[in-house]
Amino acid sequence: MALSLKKYSVATIPNTDAPLKVESVTVAEKTTDGKIKLALVTDDDKGNSLRLNCLLKL
């Protein structure tokens, strides 16, 4: 059984090109200093997706 990998583009914030619609949020990593790295995936309903890497500080 082969795995299907999806390739994502990467966007910078603020993104002035177009509004973003985030459809998925995943915890990518918990750091030792209590921060959480998140992966946000967008969808523009036209088959294009962006992965946004975020750092959440609590």
Side-chain angles (χ1 to χ4, degrees):
M1 180 182 192
L3 294 176
S4 175
L5 299 177
K6 186 169 183 178
K7 186 175 181 178
Y8 296 99
S9 299
V10 177
T12 58
I13 300 295
N15 180 15
T16 58
D17 295 334
L20 297 173
K21 177 176 69 170
V22 174
E23 297 230 341
S24 176
V25 178
T26 301
V27 174
E29 179 184 344
K30 293 180 183 177
T31 65
T32 56
D33 59 354
K35 298 174 186 167
I36 300 172
K37 293 183 179 180
L38 301 174
L40 285 65
V41 179
T42 69
D43 182 9
D44 68 358
D45 295 330
K46 298 177 185 174
N48 300 307
S49 296
L50 294 172
R51 176 182 168 152
L52 306 171
N53 297 318
C54 302
L55 183 62
L56 179 65
K57 298 177 186 179
L58 302 174

